[in-house]
Amino acid sequence: MTATDVEHAESHEDGHAHPSDWDYARIALILGVLTAIEVFTYFESVHNLGTNALRVILVVLMVLKFVYVGAWFMHLKFDKPILRNLFVMGLSLSLLVYLGMLTAFRVWPT
């Protein structure tokens, strides 16, 4: 065990387990798949989805990626629940503002 390992173990004595390298690799794979789905939405001649369906899919993918990054790479998954709740409230508020602005600029077809 190196000095860095000892320091790392001491910094996490508050009871939560630190994710393994495999956990981070797994999250990276999930984020890669979500990104591939996003890229696939640009090929409208292949999937033939409507504009509204594409917007909904992209918003859902955006939220999923944001949650994964926040939970794993910002360590919100391992922090106190109040921090996670504050994060979710901020995400919800930003999503409402974003959708409100899309509506204000009449992005949605009538």
Short mmCIF file of all heavy atoms in Angstrom, two decimals, residues 1-25:
data_model
loop_
_atom_site.label_atom_id
_atom_site.label_comp_id
_atom_site.label_asym_id
_atom_site.label_seq_id
_atom_site.Cartn_x
_atom_site.Cartn_y
_atom_site.Cartn_z
N MET A 1 0.86 -1.18 0.00
CA MET A 1 0.00 0.00 0.00
C MET A 1 0.90 1.23 0.00
O MET A 1 1.78 1.37 0.82
CB MET A 1 -0.92 -0.05 1.22
CG MET A 1 -1.88 1.10 1.28
SD MET A 1 -3.04 0.98 2.66
CE MET A 1 -4.37 0.13 1.84
N THR A 2 0.67 2.12 -0.94
CA THR A 2 1.47 3.33 -1.04
C THR A 2 0.93 4.42 -0.11
O THR A 2 -0.15 4.29 0.46
CB THR A 2 1.47 3.85 -2.49
OG1 THR A 2 0.14 4.24 -2.81
CG2 THR A 2 1.94 2.78 -3.45
N ALA A 3 1.71 5.48 0.01
CA ALA A 3 1.29 6.60 0.85
C ALA A 3 0.02 7.24 0.30
O ALA A 3 -0.85 7.67 1.06
CB ALA A 3 2.40 7.63 0.94
N THR A 4 -0.12 7.26 -1.02
CA THR A 4 -1.33 7.82 -1.63
C THR A 4 -2.55 6.99 -1.28
O THR A 4 -3.61 7.53 -0.99
CB THR A 4 -1.16 7.89 -3.16
OG1 THR A 4 0.02 8.61 -3.46
CG2 THR A 4 -2.36 8.56 -3.81
N ASP A 5 -2.38 5.66 -1.28
CA ASP A 5 -3.50 4.78 -0.92
C ASP A 5 -3.92 5.02 0.52
O ASP A 5 -5.11 5.01 0.83
CB ASP A 5 -3.12 3.32 -1.13
CG ASP A 5 -2.95 2.97 -2.60
OD1 ASP A 5 -3.53 3.70 -3.44
OD2 ASP A 5 -2.25 1.99 -2.89
N VAL A 6 -2.96 5.19 1.40
CA VAL A 6 -3.26 5.41 2.81
C VAL A 6 -4.00 6.74 2.97
O VAL A 6 -5.01 6.81 3.67
CB VAL A 6 -1.97 5.40 3.65
CG1 VAL A 6 -2.27 5.83 5.08
CG2 VAL A 6 -1.33 4.02 3.63
N GLU A 7 -3.50 7.78 2.29
CA GLU A 7 -4.18 9.08 2.38
C GLU A 7 -5.59 8.98 1.83
O GLU A 7 -6.53 9.55 2.37
CB GLU A 7 -3.39 10.13 1.60
CG GLU A 7 -2.08 10.49 2.24
CD GLU A 7 -1.27 11.43 1.35
OE1 GLU A 7 -1.80 11.90 0.32
OE2 GLU A 7 -0.11 11.68 1.68
N HIS A 8 -5.74 8.24 0.73
CA HIS A 8 -7.06 8.09 0.11
C HIS A 8 -8.00 7.35 1.04
O HIS A 8 -9.15 7.73 1.20
CB HIS A 8 -6.92 7.35 -1.22
CG HIS A 8 -8.17 7.33 -2.00
ND1 HIS A 8 -9.01 6.26 -1.99
CD2 HIS A 8 -8.75 8.27 -2.78
CE1 HIS A 8 -10.04 6.53 -2.74
NE2 HIS A 8 -9.92 7.73 -3.25
N ALA A 9 -7.50 6.29 1.69
CA ALA A 9 -8.35 5.52 2.60
C ALA A 9 -8.75 6.36 3.81
O ALA A 9 -9.88 6.30 4.28
CB ALA A 9 -7.63 4.26 3.05
N GLU A 10 -7.80 7.19 4.30
CA GLU A 10 -8.12 8.03 5.45
C GLU A 10 -9.13 9.11 5.10
O GLU A 10 -9.94 9.49 5.93
CB GLU A 10 -6.84 8.67 5.97
CG GLU A 10 -5.91 7.70 6.63
CD GLU A 10 -4.59 8.34 7.01
OE1 GLU A 10 -4.38 9.52 6.66
OE2 GLU A 10 -3.77 7.66 7.63
N SER A 11 -9.10 9.58 3.86
CA SER A 11 -10.03 10.64 3.49
C SER A 11 -11.45 10.13 3.34
O SER A 11 -12.38 10.91 3.30
CB SER A 11 -9.58 11.30 2.18
OG SER A 11 -9.69 10.38 1.11
N HIS A 12 -11.64 8.82 3.28
CA HIS A 12 -12.98 8.25 3.13
C HIS A 12 -13.38 7.45 4.36
O HIS A 12 -14.13 6.50 4.26
CB HIS A 12 -13.05 7.37 1.89
CG HIS A 12 -12.91 8.17 0.64
ND1 HIS A 12 -13.92 8.95 0.15
CD2 HIS A 12 -11.87 8.33 -0.21
CE1 HIS A 12 -13.53 9.55 -0.94
NE2 HIS A 12 -12.27 9.19 -1.18
N GLU A 13 -12.91 7.83 5.51
CA GLU A 13 -13.29 7.13 6.72
C GLU A 13 -14.67 7.52 7.22
O GLU A 13 -15.12 7.04 8.23
CB GLU A 13 -12.25 7.38 7.81
CG GLU A 13 -10.94 6.68 7.53
CD GLU A 13 -9.95 6.93 8.65
OE1 GLU A 13 -10.27 7.73 9.55
OE2 GLU A 13 -8.88 6.32 8.61
N ASP A 14 -15.35 8.40 6.48
CA ASP A 14 -16.67 8.81 6.90
C ASP A 14 -17.74 7.78 6.56
O ASP A 14 -18.91 8.02 6.76
CB ASP A 14 -17.03 10.16 6.31
CG ASP A 14 -16.93 10.17 4.80
OD1 ASP A 14 -16.37 9.23 4.24
OD2 ASP A 14 -17.43 11.14 4.20
N GLY A 15 -17.37 6.63 6.07
CA GLY A 15 -18.31 5.55 5.92
C GLY A 15 -18.76 5.22 4.52
O GLY A 15 -19.37 4.19 4.31
N HIS A 16 -18.48 6.04 3.54
CA HIS A 16 -18.94 5.69 2.20
C HIS A 16 -17.82 5.04 1.41
O HIS A 16 -16.66 5.33 1.60
CB HIS A 16 -19.50 6.91 1.47
CG HIS A 16 -18.47 7.86 0.97
ND1 HIS A 16 -18.03 8.91 1.71
CD2 HIS A 16 -17.80 7.91 -0.20
CE1 HIS A 16 -17.14 9.58 1.02
NE2 HIS A 16 -16.97 8.99 -0.13
N ALA A 17 -18.23 4.12 0.56
CA ALA A 17 -17.27 3.41 -0.27
C ALA A 17 -16.95 4.24 -1.50
O ALA A 17 -17.81 4.91 -2.05
CB ALA A 17 -17.86 2.07 -0.69
N HIS A 18 -15.71 4.19 -1.89
CA HIS A 18 -15.30 4.91 -3.09
C HIS A 18 -15.51 4.00 -4.29
O HIS A 18 -15.24 2.81 -4.21
CB HIS A 18 -13.82 5.30 -2.95
CG HIS A 18 -13.40 6.30 -3.95
ND1 HIS A 18 -12.91 5.96 -5.18
CD2 HIS A 18 -13.42 7.65 -3.91
CE1 HIS A 18 -12.62 7.05 -5.84
NE2 HIS A 18 -12.92 8.09 -5.10
N PRO A 19 -15.99 4.53 -5.40
CA PRO A 19 -16.21 3.68 -6.57
C PRO A 19 -14.90 3.11 -7.11
O PRO A 19 -13.85 3.75 -7.02
CB PRO A 19 -16.86 4.60 -7.59
CG PRO A 19 -16.97 5.93 -6.97
CD PRO A 19 -16.40 5.90 -5.62
N SER A 20 -15.01 1.93 -7.67
CA SER A 20 -13.83 1.29 -8.23
C SER A 20 -13.58 1.81 -9.64
O SER A 20 -14.40 2.52 -10.22
CB SER A 20 -14.04 -0.23 -8.26
OG SER A 20 -15.07 -0.54 -9.19
N ASP A 21 -12.44 1.42 -10.18
CA ASP A 21 -12.13 1.81 -11.56
C ASP A 21 -13.15 1.22 -12.52
O ASP A 21 -13.53 1.85 -13.51
CB ASP A 21 -10.72 1.34 -11.93
CG ASP A 21 -9.65 2.09 -11.17
OD1 ASP A 21 -9.95 3.16 -10.59
OD2 ASP A 21 -8.51 1.58 -11.12
N TRP A 22 -13.60 0.01 -12.22
CA TRP A 22 -14.60 -0.63 -13.07
C TRP A 22 -15.92 0.15 -13.05
O TRP A 22 -16.60 0.27 -14.07
CB TRP A 22 -14.83 -2.07 -12.64
CG TRP A 22 -15.99 -2.70 -13.35
CD1 TRP A 22 -17.13 -3.16 -12.80
CD2 TRP A 22 -16.13 -2.90 -14.76
NE1 TRP A 22 -17.97 -3.63 -13.77
CE2 TRP A 22 -17.38 -3.48 -14.99
CE3 TRP A 22 -15.32 -2.62 -15.86
CZ2 TRP A 22 -17.85 -3.81 -16.26
CZ3 TRP A 22 -15.79 -2.94 -17.14
CH2 TRP A 22 -17.02 -3.53 -17.32
N ASP A 23 -16.29 0.71 -11.90
CA ASP A 23 -17.49 1.54 -11.83
C ASP A 23 -17.39 2.74 -12.77
O ASP A 23 -18.33 3.07 -13.49
CB ASP A 23 -17.74 2.02 -10.40
CG ASP A 23 -18.15 0.90 -9.47
OD1 ASP A 23 -18.76 -0.07 -9.96
OD2 ASP A 23 -17.86 1.01 -8.27
N TYR A 24 -16.23 3.40 -12.73
CA TYR A 24 -16.04 4.55 -13.62
C TYR A 24 -16.05 4.12 -15.09
O TYR A 24 -16.58 4.84 -15.94
CB TYR A 24 -14.74 5.29 -13.28
CG TYR A 24 -14.85 6.12 -12.03
CD1 TYR A 24 -14.06 5.83 -10.93
CD2 TYR A 24 -15.74 7.17 -11.95
CE1 TYR A 24 -14.15 6.59 -9.78
CE2 TYR A 24 -15.85 7.94 -10.81
CZ TYR A 24 -15.05 7.64 -9.72
OH TYR A 24 -15.15 8.39 -8.58
N ALA A 25 -15.45 2.98 -15.39
CA ALA A 25 -15.45 2.49 -16.77
C ALA A 25 -16.88 2.17 -17.22
O ALA A 25 -17.27 2.46 -18.36
CB ALA A 25 -14.56 1.26 -16.89
#
